[in-house]
């Protein structure tokens, strides 16, 4: 069993080696049909090289592919994260290796003084986290958590319990949804707010900095939030947004023309995906997220789309409010796990 820290990788120039391990998963771990959903090696290289301070990061690999990673929270030394988990599920013996990796990660974090562990969580919540639970349909999206069905059980047998639940809900009647959100848009306009689409031509010069400022303020009170520096934020969002059709993403501006909120969306497999929304504290409680989704829905309807997805929403009042405005078609559930060590 190998044990690497990120500083070793940097010093030894082993990022390419890391990338091969992280992007090459044998068929015994992941079926071939999932290969298109796995991140390619170049993306792993860029992820591992992002300029975040991660002094306690480590990687454990076994048999070249089975792996796990862990790091201490940058904002709370009592909290640690375990992620990047991949193990063979084909036999009991193989699953035992996965349990061993989980034990090694816990032991590492405990040695650093960590008392509470969350997972699966890759680095922090800016990156993929959560386990997907069994579902009744064959729909799979690259932006949602997915893994062999045995993974959550491996963790729960190791003492982890569910601490947070999330949902993505497929909804029909996009036209009806837009009509229900129209009053919020009209009210915001009457109060002096204006709206504009995200501008792909000045993505890096203006849009990303504006998204960064709103996100740092709008997400500050979110569960397990950790700040990100501007370069790291750009490293995550620029590649994704350069590939996306930004005609479904909008800013809301105050009377002075200052961006005070945004909603990032895109179309995937015929669905309008409502992915990320943030509003500055000063503009909250004014229905601006509903106003923004009105514009998103209108843009999607103009291009012939009639369905939408509320993506990765924490289970509760907000997820229920979306369902009341449209016709539920399906639900995908996810969980984040926790353990005291």
């Amino acid at each position: 069993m190998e044990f690497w820290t990120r500083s070793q990788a940097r010093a030894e120039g082993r990022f390419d080696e890391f990338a091969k391990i992280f992007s090459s998963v044998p068929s015994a771990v992941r079926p071939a049909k999932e290969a298109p959903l796995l991140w390619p090696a170049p993306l792993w290289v860029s992820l591992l090289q992002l300029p975040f301070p991660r002094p306690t990061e480590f990687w454990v690999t076994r048999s070249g592919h089975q792996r796990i990673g862990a790091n201490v929270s940058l904002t709370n030394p009592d909290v640690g994260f375990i992620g990047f988990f991949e193990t063979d599920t084909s036999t009991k013996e193989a699953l035992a290796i996965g349990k061993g990796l989980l034990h090694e990660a816990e032991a590492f974090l405990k040695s650093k003084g960590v008392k509470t562990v969350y997972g699966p969580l890759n680095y922090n919540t800016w990156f993929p986290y959560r386990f997907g639970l069994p579902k009744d349909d064959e729909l799979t999206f690259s932006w949602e958590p997915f893994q062999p069905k045995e993974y959550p059980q491996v963790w729960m047998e190791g003492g982890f319990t569910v601490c947070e639940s999330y949902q993505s809900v497929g909804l029909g009647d996009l036209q009806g949804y837009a009509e229900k959100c129209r009053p919020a848009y009209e009210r915001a306009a009457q109060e002096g707010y204006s709206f504009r689409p995200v501008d792909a031509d000045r993505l890096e010069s203006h849009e990303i900095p504006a998204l960064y400022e709103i996100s740092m303020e709008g997400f500050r009170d979110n569960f397990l939030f950790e700040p990100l520096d501007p370069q790291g934020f750009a490293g995550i969002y620029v590649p994704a947004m350069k590939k996306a059709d930004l005609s479904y993403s909008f800013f809301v501006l105050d009377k002075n023309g200052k961006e005070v909120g945004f909603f990032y969306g895109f179309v995937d497999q015929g669905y309008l995906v409502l992915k990320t929304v943030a509003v500055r504290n000063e503009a909250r409680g004014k229905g601006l997220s509903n106003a923004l989704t009105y514009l998103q829905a209108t843009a999607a309807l103009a291009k012939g789309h009639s369905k939408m997805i509320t993506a990765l929403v924490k289970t509760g009042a907000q997820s229920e409010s979306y369902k009341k405005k449209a016709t539920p078609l399906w639900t995908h559930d996810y969980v984040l796990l926790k353990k005291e060590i």
Side-chain angles (χ1 to χ4, degrees):
M1 184 175 293
E2 297 175 87
F3 184 97
W4 292 347
T5 64
R6 186 168 182 268
S7 57
Q8 284 178 295
R10 183 180 296 280
E12 299 169 16
R14 300 176 73 176
F15 283 115
D16 287 340
E17 188 175 347
F18 270 30
K20 289 178 182 178
I21 290 173
F22 278 64
S23 63
S24 177
V25 181
S27 59
V29 176
R30 296 278 195 169
K33 68 179 181 179
E34 293 183 354
L37 297 173
L38 296 173
W39 287 4
L43 186 55
W44 279 111
V45 172
S46 63
L47 173 66
L48 293 164
Q49 291 178 320
L50 285 174
F52 306 158
R54 302 191 187 101
T56 58
E57 202 170 66
F58 84 108
W59 311 102
V60 179
T61 66
R62 186 165 183 169
S63 300
H65 297 288
Q66 298 185 81
R67 65 173 188 259
I68 202 165
N71 61 284
V72 178
S73 166
L74 299 178
T75 58
N76 186 346
D78 291 337
V79 170
F81 306 133
I82 296 177
F84 299 102
F85 181 73
E86 292 286 357
T87 190
D88 190 344
T89 61
S90 59
T91 65
K92 290 183 179 179
E93 291 75 17
L95 281 172
I97 294 176
K99 293 178 181 178
L101 292 174
L102 195 57
H103 177 75
E104 290 290 332
E106 290 177 33
F108 172 81
L109 291 174
K110 191 170 184 177
S111 74
K112 299 297 180 180
V114 166
K115 298 179 176 61
T116 305
V117 179
Y118 295 94
L121 198 158
N122 301 348
Y123 288 150
N124 54 45
T125 55
W126 291 101
F127 298 96
Y129 67 104
R130 298 168 282 212
F131 278 135
L133 298 182
K135 54 192 179 183
D136 297 327
D137 58 72
E138 297 299 319
L139 287 168
T140 300
F141 300 94
S142 60
W143 43 264
E144 68 175 339
F146 77 103
Q147 79 294 314
K149 64 182 184 300
E150 295 87 356
Y151 283 14
Q153 189 61 33
V154 169
W155 286 53
M156 289 182 180
E157 289 178 357
F160 282 80
T161 58
V162 174
C163 72
E164 297 284 345
S165 299
Y166 309 83
Q167 291 182 332
S168 293
V169 181
L171 299 165
D173 188 19
L174 187 59
Q175 181 67 56
Y177 178 87
E179 289 303 316
K180 289 183 176 68
C181 292
R182 182 196 293 270
Y185 170 76
E186 294 175 344
R187 185 168 56 252
Q190 290 172 358
E191 293 177 359
Y193 290 99
S194 58
F195 301 84
R196 67 171 181 82
V198 174
D199 188 348
D201 291 334
R202 55 173 188 166
L203 182 63
E204 294 184 64
S205 64
H206 186 277
E207 309 297 68
I208 291 295
L211 290 170
Y212 174 77
E213 290 186 9
I214 297 169
S215 297
M216 291 305 107
E217 181 177 330
F219 297 147
R220 191 178 308 279
D221 296 329
N222 285 11
F223 182 57
L224 299 180
F225 170 83
E226 297 205 345
L228 208 57
D229 62 32
Q231 187 177 357
F233 183 87
I236 297 171
Y237 277 91
V238 168
M241 296 186 79
K242 279 187 174 180
K243 295 179 181 179
D245 180 351
L246 297 180
S247 60
Y248 306 101
S249 299
F250 294 86
F251 281 107
V252 56
L253 294 73
D254 66 13
K255 296 177 181 179
N256 299 315
K258 172 186 173 184
E259 292 92 351
V260 294
F262 73 88
F263 213 137
Y264 172 53
F266 51 86
V267 169
D268 191 354
Q269 299 183 46
Y271 289 87
L272 168 66
V273 182
L274 304 183
K275 183 64 171 60
T276 306
V277 59
V279 177
R280 289 183 183 272
N281 294 335
E282 68 204 56
R284 290 184 178 178
K286 301 180 183 298
L288 296 182
S289 62
N290 282 333
L292 287 162
T293 61
Y294 167 74
L295 292 172
Q296 293 176 301
T298 300
L301 287 165
K303 294 188 178 182
H305 302 293
S306 60
K307 301 178 292 185
M308 60 183 280
I309 299 173
T310 59
L312 305 172
V313 179
K314 186 176 177 179
T315 305
Q318 186 61 46
S319 61
E320 292 301 317
S321 71
Y322 285 122
K323 293 180 185 178
K324 292 177 181 178
K325 293 186 180 73
T327 305
L329 302 175
W330 49 262
T331 300
H332 292 177
D333 293 294
Y334 325 97
V335 293
L336 181 68
L337 307 179
K338 173 183 177 180
K339 183 179 180 180
E340 304 296 335
I341 58 174

